[in-house]
Amino acid sequence: MAHAAQVGLQDATSPIMEELITFHDHALMIIFLICFLVLYALFLTLTTKLTNTNISDAQEMETVWTILPAIILVLIALPSLRILYMTDEVNDPSLTIKSIGHQWYWTYEYTDYGGLIFNSYMLPPLFLEPGDLRLLDVDNRMVLPIEAPIRMMITSQDVLHSWAVPTLGLKTDAIPGRLNQTTFTATRPGVYYGQCSEICGANHSFMPIVLELIPLKIFEMGPVFTL
Amino acid sequence: MAAPPEPGEPEERKLLGFLDVENTPCARHSILYGSLGSVVAGFGHFLFTSRIRRSCDVGVGGFILVTLGCWFHCRYNYAKQRIQERIAREEIKKKILYEGTHLDPERKHNGSSSN
């Protein structure tokens, strides 16, 4: 989960998120250099003693400041498109889970091996145990195995919601009447948090998502199915 | 990058308020080499031409070019290293899983070399 006042991305828990962080660093370095150049140009403009109101032609400069931004955009677009198509790959998922958004809770359906369906409500502050996270912890977490490709089918029963888990690099809209698909493979065990990311009413901020990722061996022993 | 810095870890240092040079791989290395390149280019230009303003422009241009060059070079090597680490991790996992079985890669390799 994010720590207090965190601005940057969370640590990656999936290969896609690692790629996204790499791309973010790449884009940020380019942005930094452009900002540096602009600040320098601003400094020169503010400190110059030259004043010429008759400048009308600057063909070479105009050529440079047209071609250079185009090159910069290509340098940003190529890795971006690579990751975009990577996120669309579906690598033979081992498990399919349905996530249905409601006002204001999530329903998870594990129907591959039986008919496990349960709701996941945020724990109200009065029900929190010591160590629980306010506005983030839920009564029933979604338990999943690590190192196994998982397919999520996301939809909504009423209004728009969005199922997001930042550490996995996932955010998929839950749209009534439509099934959206996203896949991921988690690389390390732990408890990971997300929050609804599409305004959906009064309690939009109070319908979190909690994933408990456990080793495959333990998942196969069936802790999920003893609810 | 995500957790608050622990006592032994370097603190966040953000250039222009957003570029975290301590925790972004290759950033500190590129900025330092860029600064060195900027000083060398700018000062060298000034020594040859004695033009202050133009030397500053050359310095800034040098900073941008050297930083970009070091950045791409370092990130390319970092990406290669990550791929090699992932391959090594998978091979170690496979070896642990299959050691002593007919799928053991070492057994297959020794078998083919003795033939």
Side-chain angles (χ1 to χ4, degrees), chain A residues 3 6 9-11 18-19 21-22 25-26 28-29 31-33 35-37 39-40 44 48 75 147, chain B residues 1-4 15-16 18-19 24-25 27 31 53 56-57 60 63-64 67-68 71-72 75 82 93:
Chain A
H3 62 84
Q6 179 175 337
L9 298 169
Q10 296 183 26
D11 288 338
E18 288 174 16
E19 295 292 332
I21 291 174
T22 305
D25 293 342
H26 166 76
L28 214 57
M29 176 56 80
I31 289 167
F32 168 76
L33 292 174
C35 285
F36 182 79
L37 184 65
L39 277 173
Y40 180 66
L44 287 181
T48 187
L75 282 180
E147 292 174 349
Chain B
M1 188 177 186
L15 286 185
L16 290 186
F18 61 84
L19 184 69
T24 304
I31 297 288
R53 180 84 173 235
C56 287
D57 295 343
V60 167
F63 173 76
I64 291 171
T67 302
L68 263 183
W71 173 256
F72 282 119
R75 292 298 283 200
R82 273 180 63 207
K93 232 191 272 183

Side-chain angles (χ1 to χ4, degrees), chain A residues 97 99 142 150-154 163 180-184:
Chain A
I97 308 209
S99 168
M142 198 165 90
I150 294 163
R151 177 198 277 131
M152 294 292 307
M153 305 296 292
I154 298 161
W163 197 82
N180 281 333
Q181 174 182 273
T182 189
T183 56
F184 67 93

